[in-house]
Amino acid sequence: MNERQKVLLKEIVESYIQDARPVGSKALVDKLKCSSATIRNEMSALEDLGFLEKTHTSSGRVPSKEGYKYYVDNIMQPRELNGEEMLKLQTIFSNNELVLSDAIKECLEIISEITNYTSVVLGKESEHNTLKQLQIIPIDERKVVALVVASNGHVENKQVFIPEDVDAREIVKTSEIINKHLVGTPISEVPSKLEFEIKPRLSSIIKEYESVYNMFQSVFNDFAEKNSDVFFGGRTNILKQPEFDEIDKVKNIMEKLEDYELVKRIESNEDGVNIYIGDENEFDKDVTVVKTSYKANGEEGTIAIIGPTRMEYDKVVTLLNFLKSQIER
């Protein structure tokens, strides 16, 4: 590829990323300082090389997946973050009240807002993240707050209504049994142990044990979900992109985002920020997955951005590099 073709590919990729419209030769005359005929010839050459594609609706060209890959590997320059974006992310990490996992989640929510893509963090499942304490705080005769604390410092509270047929003292008694038998249990195992170890104990000492069990099962299911090793930011953001405006594509991508086993395959152990375009990723041929791994304070995992192949690669790479640097500083 000659230099003029590189400049042309760069202009077409970046123009198409911005407005999702096929690029014609007339739009590039002033930028490239050459004739429309010359540009058409170079576009045709880039098409023959597999870097551009024609569309059915326009005489213009769009980048192919090979074109995006060449752009990422040979042309793209990371984009600088603006002061506001950098400050938002830095402020989260300067909040000493946030544990690392929560800081990462908040940052990914912000990155999803900035980019309009879907973000995901995959934490390593750890047997060291266990139930530390369950506390019941009465509010009134029929209402309590269940406060659940994990060993990694994560705290959740849930307001719970006591069923009419249940004595509030039985709620307290059950919490004491749970603290006695389940403290130290990995968070992911608490719901099943509650069913197979705690429920049988309740049946012999509490009259309405089913109601009490259901109440605590709801509390711990919520807690286990929020402590899950998979967290999304802007899960539906990707649907805002014009590539996903067809019902079948919407259904397909949402089913994949809800398939946790598939999402977990995004996990990365590679150094640096890595880009997987279309068929290069295991998630979906119509998307790009940009991801990086992190290690800090005994925690490790993967952070990733999922978007269309028409992605602002330079911005996403910069955001993930910056986030990784903040996590591992």
Side-chain angles (χ1 to χ4, degrees):
M1 186 184 296
N2 61 41
E3 283 305 311
R4 183 158 60 194
Q5 288 169 347
K6 284 185 182 179
V7 173
L8 179 60
L9 181 62
K10 178 179 185 294
E11 291 295 335
I12 292 174
V13 169
E14 292 179 356
S15 175
Y16 188 63
I17 285 172
Q18 288 303 314
D19 57 29
R21 292 186 197 141
V23 183
S25 58
K26 289 181 182 178
L28 298 168
V29 169
D30 291 339
K31 287 185 178 180
L32 272 67
K33 308 296 184 191
C34 55
S35 70
S36 183
T38 299
I39 293 173
R40 282 198 300 273
N41 287 337
E42 296 290 25
M43 288 171 84
S44 181
L46 286 171
E47 189 178 349
D48 291 340
L49 290 169
F51 296 132
L52 296 181
E53 296 173 342
K54 274 184 180 173
T55 68
H56 299 297
T57 57
S58 166
S59 59
R61 306 295 205 286
V62 300
S64 67
K65 285 168 188 173
E66 285 302 316
Y68 284 122
K69 183 167 176 52
Y70 188 91
Y71 168 79
V72 165
D73 291 343
N74 301 282
I75 300 173
M76 180 192 79
Q77 295 295 320
R79 190 191 309 181
E80 288 188 14
L81 293 183
N82 65 44
E84 183 181 352
E85 291 166 347
M86 193 177 295
L87 183 60
K88 281 183 179 178
L89 297 173
Q90 285 176 329
T91 300
I92 290 172
F93 282 101
S94 64
N95 183 350
N96 295 326
E97 294 182 4
L98 284 177
V99 296
L100 179 62
S101 58
D102 287 343
I104 293 172
K105 290 173 184 177
E106 287 200 21
C107 283
L108 285 183
E109 291 279 17
I110 289 172
I111 287 174
S112 287
E113 287 176 19
I114 291 171
T115 61
N116 252 344
Y117 306 141
T118 295
S119 61
V120 61
V121 57
L122 305 171
K124 296 276 191 183
E125 289 189 24
S126 173
E127 292 183 358
H128 302 299
N129 186 20
T130 60
L131 176 64
K132 183 176 181 180
Q133 184 184 23
L134 167 67
Q135 187 176 355
I136 298 298
I137 304 169
I139 297 178
D140 57 36
E141 289 183 359
R142 308 311 311 166
K143 199 186 302 176
V144 298
V145 169
L147 191 71
V148 187
V149 184
S151 59
N152 67 352
H154 190 84
V155 179
E156 286 290 337
N157 60 77
K158 181 174 182 177
Q159 188 170 291
V160 182
F161 291 91
I162 302 173
E164 289 291 337
D165 54 356
V166 173
D167 187 321
R169 289 173 295 183
E170 294 182 333
I171 301 300
V172 175
K173 186 187 296 183
T174 301
S175 70
E176 291 170 353
I177 292 170
I178 290 172
N179 278 321
K180 181 178 179 181
H181 295 282
L182 295 190
V183 165
T185 300
I187 295 298
S188 60
E189 297 176 18
V190 169
S192 62
K193 288 205 171 189
L194 191 67
E195 180 175 1
F196 296 112
E197 295 182 19
I198 302 303
K199 187 177 180 181
R201 293 176 189 274
L202 298 182
S203 66
S204 63
I205 60 174
I206 294 177
K207 184 178 179 183
E208 300 297 337
Y209 73 94
E210 284 279 3
S211 296
V212 174
Y213 162 75
N214 288 336
M215 175 183 145
F216 280 97
Q217 185 74 317
S218 172
V219 169
F220 281 109
N221 278 340
D222 283 358
F223 189 70
E225 185 176 330
K226 288 178 180 177
N227 264 271
S228 168
D229 57 329
V230 179
F231 170 81
F232 286 98
R235 189 195 292 257
T236 60
N237 275 8
I238 195 170
L239 303 182
K240 297 176 184 177
Q241 306 299 326
E243 290 88 341
F244 300 98
D245 58 1
E246 297 174 13
I247 294 297
D248 286 345
K249 286 191 174 183
V250 169
K251 184 179 177 184
N252 175 58
I253 202 70
M254 289 312 296
E255 284 178 352
K256 288 185 174 180
L257 288 171
E258 289 168 6
D259 183 344
Y260 275 53
E261 291 307 312
L262 178 61
V263 172
K264 284 180 182 178
R265 290 186 210 163
I266 292 173
E267 185 178 351
S268 175
N269 294 310
E270 298 177 74
D271 293 332
V273 172
N274 297 280
I275 300 170
Y276 302 89
I277 301 169
D279 295 330
E280 294 178 337
N281 69 74
E282 293 185 60
F283 188 73
D284 188 278
K285 66 181 179 59
D286 292 324
V287 307
T288 287
V289 178
V290 185
K291 59 186 178 179
T292 188
S293 59
Y294 66 86
K295 290 184 181 179
N297 302 329
E299 295 186 40
E300 56 184 297
T302 298
I303 46 178
I305 305 296
I306 304 170
T309 52
R310 186 189 55 81
M311 174 188 277
E312 289 185 277
Y313 292 97
D314 52 356
K315 187 169 192 173
V316 170
V317 168
T318 299
L319 283 165
L320 285 189
N321 270 321
F322 182 75
L323 181 53
K324 180 180 173 72
S325 71
Q326 291 294 300
I327 293 170
E328 296 184 339
R329 64 181 178 173

